Amino acid sequence: RHLPRIPPCAQPQNQRNTPASSNMITPAQAFLLSTAGNSAMCVSLPRKQVTDIYLNGSQIQDNSEADAGWRFFGLAGGAACAAVYLADKNINNADDRKILNGAIAANAIGNAALFVQHKFMEDHVKPELRWLNLGMQAGVAGLAVKALLDKK
């Protein structure tokens, strides 16, 4: 019995970019999944529409400074996604991979800490969305730390 042949286009281009288990995504993919949608939403949707979904209504509603910050976050997040995608695709050695995974871990741990400890998150973000984002960032951090600890 022969195993079915996987067409070349379906095979990973760079074996170092594939997760240790075929059931897991890479830290870079997790970062992209957790950041790209939020970034696009922050840039493209009216802030009121987003805050009605995300926040509990106790925040200042009409605030151009907050709107500008929201948009800047979206642009910075988009740039970060592009940078992580390109780095993940083009890294060819273990030392650079560790640097990328370390940066992803540090970013996700920082984000998780903000969702836990920042007063704005506690006072104004809907609890279910606060904990959803915390869980997502903890997952990204876990994947990145696991990749750092894997002996490859």
Side-chain angles (χ1 to χ4, degrees):
R1 296 180 59 98
H2 296 281
L3 294 175
R5 185 175 176 280
I6 298 173
C9 62
Q11 294 176 350
Q13 297 297 316
N14 180 344
Q15 292 297 326
R16 288 179 211 92
N17 288 347
T18 60
S21 165
S22 62
N23 295 328
M24 291 180 58
I25 62 174
T26 67
Q29 290 167 334
F31 174 86
L32 293 169
L33 289 170
S34 70
T35 306
N38 281 337
S39 297
M41 178 181 68
C42 290
V43 171
S44 63
L45 293 178
R47 186 169 186 274
K48 171 127 179 54
Q49 183 179 355
V50 176
T51 60
D52 286 348
I53 295 167
Y54 193 72
L55 304 177
N56 64 17
S58 64
Q59 73 284 353
I60 298 170
Q61 291 297 322
D62 187 11
N63 181 336
S64 63
E65 181 182 10
D67 185 70
W70 197 267
R71 307 294 176 195
F72 277 121
F73 163 77
L75 294 170
C81 285
V84 167
Y85 173 79
L86 289 172
D88 186 51
K89 183 177 177 182
N90 292 300
I91 286 176
N92 292 318
N93 66 67
D95 289 339
D96 288 347
R97 175 77 43 207
K98 284 183 181 181
I99 292 169
L100 176 62
N101 287 332
I104 291 170
N107 179 269
I109 290 167
N111 284 338
L114 284 172
F115 277 106
V116 169
Q117 294 187 336
H118 198 279
K119 183 133 177 71
F120 179 84
M121 301 298 177
E122 185 177 334
D123 292 347
H124 303 293
V125 175
K126 290 178 182 176
E128 62 274 20
L129 291 174
R130 181 178 174 214
W131 294 110
L132 175 68
N133 279 281
L134 170 64
M136 187 168 37
Q137 292 304 315
V140 172
L143 284 171
V145 169
K146 180 186 180 317
L148 286 168
L149 297 175
D150 279 349
K151 304 238 188 281
K152 288 186 183 180

